[in-house]
């Protein structure tokens, strides 16, 4: 019998809002985050995807003969949708076997004279191999855009992610750490590129009262329901309904609309984010501490792989990313845990070529390592609301499945 669910743990550790965050105030969200991360000025856009869209638009204006964007074959479908919306071609790069990084040989092969940008992705807050992307991209004159949508606060060689590449972006979407329901921060190392990004955004991105009203109401809903007692309604119920009808893509929210809203973020939402951001560094430090302890426990489970960072990096920990020996054991673990209310879930359901709804926009080529990654991984929330006892329940379940 499923136990009564008074509590639902979110699948990722978002920073909970407080009522006082909702009071009006100065809206310097981007400035505050830039100071915390030690980056040059960050540019606020209405989503991570919008930030990527502005980045690609600006790069292409300077080099219109470059028409292709190289992305990992396992990433957020929104990345593929953004590339397609701009009229650019997508070129997929398979992953290294068993890893979230792009395979270096595929990467070199994928980067050609027509390549505008390469998008290494800091998946699950883990720090990606940006060096390999820089080597492959710069050899052909292409740019590197670090997808740090899931990695706000992650550091690589002592600096924020997003600074080794030419550009980078963070997401402020619901469930991705600090959230204003939808938002994105765009980062560029070079001052003249930053100025071009700023000008292009000012020229192309309109104020939209309708979108801003909608996002403001959604942010109020998030503030009200993002707690263990409210998430059953906002997250657990739709999840269970989607799984009952055999729709895992719907269950994790991977089915995205074909258009990407582009509009300015209003002052009130900026103020909410700026208020909450004061608590972000301590929150991220607590998550890292909890993840460190829990990884030690998970490592005692045989045949289970826990993803960590390369030695020079300190990622962020919205959730723990685990790889099981095969799809059968992964599915068996999810059978027991996905609807348990304990914050166990999957990252993206498919490799990009395997989403039926993207078939008209994604090149159809076999991507065996990306497909294998999708088939064998699952995620365990690193929310502070997941207590040690519940975490131990998850570990015991994994032990039984793998035993
Ligand atoms: C969420 C996400 C995006 C898109 O960010 P939004 O803010 O949701 O538009 C891009 N890449 C990855 C890896 C993501 O997880």
């Amino acid at each position: 019998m499923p136990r009564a669910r008074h509590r639902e743990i979110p699948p990722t550790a978002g920073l909970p809002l407080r009522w006082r965050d909702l009071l009006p105030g100065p809206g310097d969200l981007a400035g505050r985050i830039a100071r915390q991360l030690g980056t040059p000025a960050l540019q606020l856009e209405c989503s991570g995807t919008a930030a990527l869209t502005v980045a690609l638009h600006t790069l292409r204006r300077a080099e219109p003969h470059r028409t292709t964007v190289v992305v990992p074959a396992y990433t957020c479908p929104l990345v593929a949708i953004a590339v397609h919306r701009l009229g650019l071609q997508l070129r997929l790069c398979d992953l290294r076997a068993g890893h979230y990084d792009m395979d270096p040989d595929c990467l070199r092969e994928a980067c050609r004279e027509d390549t505008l940008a390469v998008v290494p992705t800091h998946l699950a807050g883990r720090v990606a191999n940006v060096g390999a992307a820089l080597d492959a991209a710069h050899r052909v004159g292409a740019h590197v855009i670090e997808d740090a949508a899931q990695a706000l606060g992650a550091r690589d060689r002592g600096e924020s992610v997003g600074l080794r590449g030419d550009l980078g972006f963070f997401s402020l979407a619901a469930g991705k750490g600090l959230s204003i329901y939808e938002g994105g921060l765009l980062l560029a190392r070079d001052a003249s590129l930053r100025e071009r990004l700023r000008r292009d955004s000012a020229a192309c991105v309109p104020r939209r009262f309708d979108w801003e009203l909608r996002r403001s109401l959604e942010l109020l809903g998030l503030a009200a329901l993002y707690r263990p007692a409210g998430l059953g309604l906002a997250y657990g119920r739709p999840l269970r309904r989607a799984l009952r009808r055999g729709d895992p893509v719907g269950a994790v929210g991977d089915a995205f609309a074909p258009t990407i809203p582009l509009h300015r973020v209003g002052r009130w939402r900026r103020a909410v984010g700026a208020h909450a951001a004061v608590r972000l560094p301590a929150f991220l430090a607590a998550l890292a501490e909890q993840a460190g302890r829990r990884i030690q426990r998970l490592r005692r489970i045989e045949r289970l792989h826990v993803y960590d960072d390369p030695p020079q990096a300190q990622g962020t920990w919205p959730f723990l990313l685990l790889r099981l020996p095969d799809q059968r054991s992964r599915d068996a673990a999810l059978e027991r845990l996905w609807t348990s209310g304990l914050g166990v879930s999957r990252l993206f359901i498919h490799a990009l070529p395997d989403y039926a709804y993207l078939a008209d926009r994604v090149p159809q080529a076999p991507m065996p390592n990306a497909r294998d990654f999708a088939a064998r991984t699952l995620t365990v929330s690193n929310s502070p609301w997941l207590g040690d006892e519940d975490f131990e329940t998850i570990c015991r379940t994994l032990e039984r499945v793998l035993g």
Side-chain angles (χ1 to χ4, degrees):
M1 283 295 289
R3 66 195 180 90
R5 278 182 292 269
H6 308 293
R7 283 165 59 85
E8 179 93 30
I9 305 298
T12 67
L15 174 67
L17 293 172
R18 295 181 183 165
W19 288 113
R20 239 180 313 176
D21 296 337
L22 306 179
L23 299 175
D28 188 24
L29 170 59
R32 180 158 282 166
I33 302 282
R35 284 191 297 279
Q36 286 176 359
L37 300 181
T39 63
L42 295 166
Q43 182 170 316
L44 182 66
E45 297 292 344
C46 67
S47 66
T49 314
L52 174 63
T53 299
V54 170
L56 290 171
H57 172 73
T58 294
L59 294 180
R60 182 181 52 178
R61 262 168 35 98
E63 292 175 286
H65 60 286
R66 294 183 180 268
T67 54
T68 300
V69 181
V70 174
V71 312
Y74 184 83
T75 189
C76 181
L78 285 168
V79 172
I81 294 171
V83 170
H84 179 262
R85 286 298 292 184
L86 284 160
L88 294 163
Q89 307 300 312
L90 205 58
R91 191 173 288 141
L92 301 186
C93 181
D94 202 3
L95 305 184
R96 269 170 63 193
H99 203 274
Y100 54 85
D101 270 327
M102 289 182 277
D103 178 275
D105 292 331
C106 295
L107 195 52
R108 265 189 302 278
E109 208 281 318
C111 290
R112 305 175 203 161
E113 297 301 314
D114 68 350
T115 304
L116 181 66
V118 181
V119 188
T121 302
H122 303 290
L123 201 69
R126 309 282 48 79
V127 175
N129 184 349
V130 177
L134 285 168
D135 287 346
H138 288 178
R139 204 169 42 85
V140 296
H143 300 271
V144 168
I145 304 175
E146 291 181 50
D147 180 343
Q150 302 183 2
L152 179 64
R155 304 187 82 75
D156 189 3
R157 294 154 201 236
E159 281 195 323
S160 170
V161 292
L163 283 173
R164 284 186 75 199
D166 304 291
L167 303 100
F169 67 94
F170 302 106
S171 169
L172 306 176
K176 285 205 181 154
L178 175 66
S179 180
I180 52 171
Y181 201 81
E182 289 279 11
L185 292 165
L186 182 56
L187 172 58
R189 203 165 17 83
D190 178 71
S192 67
L193 177 55
R194 279 203 299 281
E195 180 55 25
R196 281 159 53 211
L197 293 165
R198 198 192 58 73
R199 263 191 271 127
D200 284 349
S201 177
C204 302
V205 178
R207 266 175 222 291
R208 287 282 303 267
F209 179 74
D210 49 348
W211 273 108
E212 190 54 29
L213 177 63
R214 174 175 164 176
R215 293 297 187 233
S216 299
L217 295 172
E218 286 169 328
L219 181 55
L220 281 174
L222 181 73
L225 293 176
Y226 196 80
R227 59 196 73 239
L231 279 159
L233 185 70
Y235 167 71
R237 282 228 308 225
L239 166 78
R240 286 176 193 91
R241 208 177 311 127
L243 289 177
R244 268 199 305 277
R245 61 169 193 265
D247 176 16
V249 170
V252 300
D254 267 2
F256 296 101
T259 55
I260 295 157
L262 279 182
H263 59 99
R264 306 248 59 92
V265 174
R267 185 187 177 80
W268 177 70
R269 283 201 299 142
R270 294 201 307 269
V272 174
H275 288 148
V278 173
R279 301 189 299 279
L280 185 65
F283 183 70
L284 293 178
L287 294 187
E289 190 273 329
Q290 175 167 276
R293 273 190 292 120
R294 291 186 171 176
I295 284 174
Q296 297 309 314
R297 170 69 182 94
L298 288 164
R299 290 229 163 99
R300 302 209 307 269
I301 304 177
E302 264 176 68
R303 306 201 301 142
L304 183 70
H305 179 77
V306 190
Y307 288 91
D308 201 345
D309 293 310
Q312 83 287 354
Q314 294 84 39
T316 49
W317 298 92
F319 48 86
L320 307 172
L321 179 62
L322 311 182
R323 188 188 71 222
L324 282 79
D326 47 41
Q327 177 161 15
R328 194 201 52 74
S329 54
R330 196 284 306 268
D331 288 348
L334 284 176
E335 179 70 36
R336 292 161 176 78
L337 291 169
W338 204 347
T339 57
S340 66
L342 297 178
V344 174
S345 185
R346 286 171 69 177
L347 201 38
F348 311 116
I349 296 297
H350 297 301
L352 286 178
D354 295 333
Y355 286 96
Y357 82 97
L358 287 178
D360 57 338
R361 285 163 280 178
V362 170
Q364 296 297 303
M367 294 284 151
N369 293 339
R371 182 177 280 180
D372 175 68
F373 191 88
R376 289 202 287 144
T377 50
L378 61 77
T379 60
V380 176
S381 178
N382 193 37
S383 165
W385 292 322
L386 179 69
D388 287 339
E389 221 168 280
D390 282 341
F391 179 72
E392 188 55 29
T393 302
I394 295 170
C395 292
R396 296 242 170 86
T397 306
L398 292 170
E399 277 166 344
R400 264 199 305 284
V401 165
L402 296 172

